[in-house]
Amino acid sequence: MTLVAGVDSSTQSCKVVVRDAESGRLVREGRAPHPDGTEVDPAAWEAALQTAIDEAGGLADVAAVAVGGQQHGMVCLDSDGEVVRPALLWNDTRSAQAATDLTAELGGGQAWADAVGLVPVASFTVTKLRWLAEHEPGNAARTAAVCLPHDWLTWRLAGSPGLDALVTDRGDASGTGYWSPAQEAYRLDLLERAFGSTPVLPRVLGPAERAGAVADGALGAAGGALLGPGTGDNAAAALGINAEPGDVVLSVGTSGVVSTVSSTPSADPTGTVAGFADATGNFLPLVVTLNAARVLDATARLLGVDHDELSRLALTAPAGSGGLVVVPYLEGERTPDRPHSTGAVHGLTLSTADPAHLARAAIEGLLCGLADGLDAIAAQGNPVRRVFLVGGGARSEAVRRLAPAVLGVPVLVPPAGEYVADGAARQAAWVLAGGSTAPVWPATSTETHEADPVPHVRERYAEVREMTATRV
């Protein structure tokens, strides 16, 4: 049996899965936590990866490895390959003003959408580089290379062979703000506009192109295993679930993500839909909300219950929560672009002032934000064939049962799994096989949830969302 490994270096933790390259059968797995915060020393990712590899039984018998990682982060390296400062993560909003400035400087959203398929927001690497240049000019001057979290871990697995050996893939590169999915090329003019210079950037590999090999002793590995190009977490999840054109993947994780596989690039001048690439050669139009599974965490904490009880409470309240609405902008928001907004509760009355109504309103608010994303994806000319609900939040019975009513479409829920790590493992098997298409692993069984649409829930949510638009 030939084994491959996939890594998911996410915001909250690192997961490693080891699978049979031919069948995709899970052989073993491991995980380790990441520190909290919106900036992290990349050494913490490396330490977590080492722990997760050890827990997964090591990589000595693995023939190929690929890394999926959280998108957009800014990892700055000096000329010796040392990390210049803690990496800014996708959910760090300090570069919001930089995003506004860059958008205006190029002539608005249409110009950016035409150039790179997206409009700058605080999540994207290009805005973080502008922030660094303006606020930490000393660190900016030391920066000889810029890469993404998955790029850096791949490079470390390869033994850190030099800045010119940094590699990435089109899926993750498309989230930087200075790589064009339509042109399949970096836009160095945009990088220089943002940063004032053009540091070394990772070489963009093809979907199954080899990124080298694991170095002997790197993270305790025996060395020699092939390295895949890796990809960003959203593209890896789509690969892990075997999404095809017309499939929508709705992930309720630290962030909420609505994405679809498309054969054509997207360019939304409003910035609602980011025109990313995927890990297969297609494209991945995508909408992201900052607030997803942590809304469930926060509401459960507020009510003093666990997640099972939160779900039970929500399912006892009526659709629409009696007019009670939660706008769950607990960490600001990216879609719509309101980085300084806060959460709001509106419509509190004597009849709705109880845990059940608040629980349901919070979950409906979470889902309404994702439903807006689904509408935006469809409005870009992407047909919605199927919706897959994945991520930690999909473990909630209330989320699964309420989703089809709020989204207005049937929802398929695959078994709970590590789909980002699985997608990375599938990419590793693809690199190992050397074929033109990714290996086909047997599809997992899914459960289908259907419900009558409840348009009044979204209409009421939209009213309150706009009422609170100016909150800072």
Side-chain angles (χ1 to χ4, degrees):
M1 179 170 59
T2 302
L3 300 180
V4 293
V7 176
D8 172 15
S9 183
S10 71
T11 310
Q12 294 179 303
S13 62
C14 180
K15 285 83 70 175
V16 173
V17 298
V18 176
R19 291 187 173 272
D20 174 29
E22 183 176 352
S23 69
R25 182 178 66 84
L26 180 65
V27 176
R28 55 185 193 265
E29 59 187 324
R31 65 184 299 138
H34 282 161
D36 288 332
T38 62
E39 66 172 39
V40 173
D41 185 340
W45 301 332
E46 186 172 22
L49 177 55
Q50 177 70 76
T51 299
I53 287 172
D54 291 344
E55 188 174 298
L59 300 180
D61 56 349
V62 168
V65 184
V67 179
Q70 54 182 305
Q71 284 194 270
H72 312 314
M74 180 188 73
V75 182
C76 296
L77 305 176
D78 66 17
S79 58
D80 295 322
E82 298 297 322
V83 173
V84 171
R85 71 169 325 280
L88 297 186
L89 307 188
W90 63 273
N91 56 352
D92 190 295
T93 59
R94 72 187 75 181
S95 62
Q97 185 59 50
T100 299
D101 294 344
L102 285 167
T103 301
E105 289 172 16
L106 200 65
Q110 186 69 64
W112 278 95
D114 291 343
V116 288
L118 51 80
V119 179
V121 295
S123 300
F124 300 146
T125 315
V126 69
T127 70
K128 300 179 188 304
L129 287 170
R130 167 60 70 86
W131 178 89
L132 185 69
E134 291 181 338
H135 293 271
E136 297 182 0
N139 284 334
R142 287 181 55 210
T143 298
V146 177
C147 60
L148 303 171
H150 113 256
D151 309 340
W152 187 80
L153 283 171
T154 301
W155 186 67
R156 294 293 291 164
L157 281 168
S160 309
L163 298 182
D164 60 349
L166 287 164
V167 296
T168 190
D169 89 304
R170 59 196 300 279
D172 219 1
S174 67
T176 61
Y178 44 83
W179 189 85
S180 167
Q183 298 175 8
E184 298 273 347
Y186 281 118
R187 286 291 303 266
L188 297 181
D189 58 318
L190 300 181
L191 175 61
E192 185 164 7
R193 174 184 289 276
F195 196 50
S197 64
T198 53
V200 173
L201 298 175
R203 183 166 57 94
V204 181
L205 302 181
E209 189 174 348
R210 295 183 180 184
V214 176
D216 189 28
L219 294 172
L226 295 179
L227 275 171
T231 192
D233 50 4
N234 299 304
L239 186 59
I241 207 168
N242 195 25
E244 301 173 349
D247 289 345
V248 173
V249 181
L250 195 158
S251 175
V252 186
T254 305
S255 60
V257 179
V258 184
S259 62
T260 188
V261 178
S262 174
S263 59
T264 57
S266 292
D268 178 7
T270 72
T272 301
V273 179
F276 294 161
D278 80 344
T280 71
N282 283 312
F283 301 91
L284 197 72
L286 179 147
V287 176
V288 176
T289 67
L290 288 182
N291 300 278
R294 286 180 174 176
V295 175
L296 304 176
D297 297 339
T299 308
R301 185 169 65 249
L302 180 66
L303 296 177
V305 299
D306 61 17
H307 281 264
D308 287 343
E309 179 63 8
L310 178 71
S311 183
R312 188 197 69 79
L313 286 167
L315 292 172
T316 65
S321 306
L324 184 66
V325 173
V326 172
V327 179
Y329 296 169
L330 308 185
E331 296 187 279
E333 190 45 79
R334 168 172 162 173
T335 304
D337 185 20
R338 297 174 185 170
H340 303 299
S341 291
T342 57
V345 178
H346 188 81
L348 193 63
T349 65
L350 289 175
S351 62
T352 61
D354 60 54
H357 282 84
L358 183 60
R360 180 148 190 151
I363 293 174
E364 287 180 339
L366 184 164
L367 290 168
C368 282
L370 295 172
D372 289 344
L374 185 64
D375 287 349
I377 290 282
Q380 287 287 302
N382 299 294
V384 178
R385 185 167 68 101
R386 299 183 295 182
V387 173
F388 289 93
L389 182 66
V390 299
R395 296 187 177 98
S396 163
E397 181 184 359
V399 169
R400 296 195 303 271
R401 288 176 54 183
L402 299 185
V406 175
L407 299 176
V409 294
V411 171
L412 282 67
V413 184
E418 301 295 349
Y419 287 104
V420 174
D422 290 346
R426 189 169 176 229
Q427 185 194 74
W430 190 3
V431 170
L432 189 64
S436 59
T437 58
V440 177
W441 288 346
T444 56
S445 59
T446 62
E447 55 182 64
T448 300
H449 292 265
E450 298 182 83
D452 292 332
V454 285
H456 71 281
V457 172
R458 293 191 59 195
E459 291 166 2
R460 172 68 174 149
Y461 176 83
E463 291 176 4
V464 177
R465 180 194 60 211
E466 296 314 306
M467 288 169 54
T468 61
T470 58
R471 292 178 61 88
V472 295

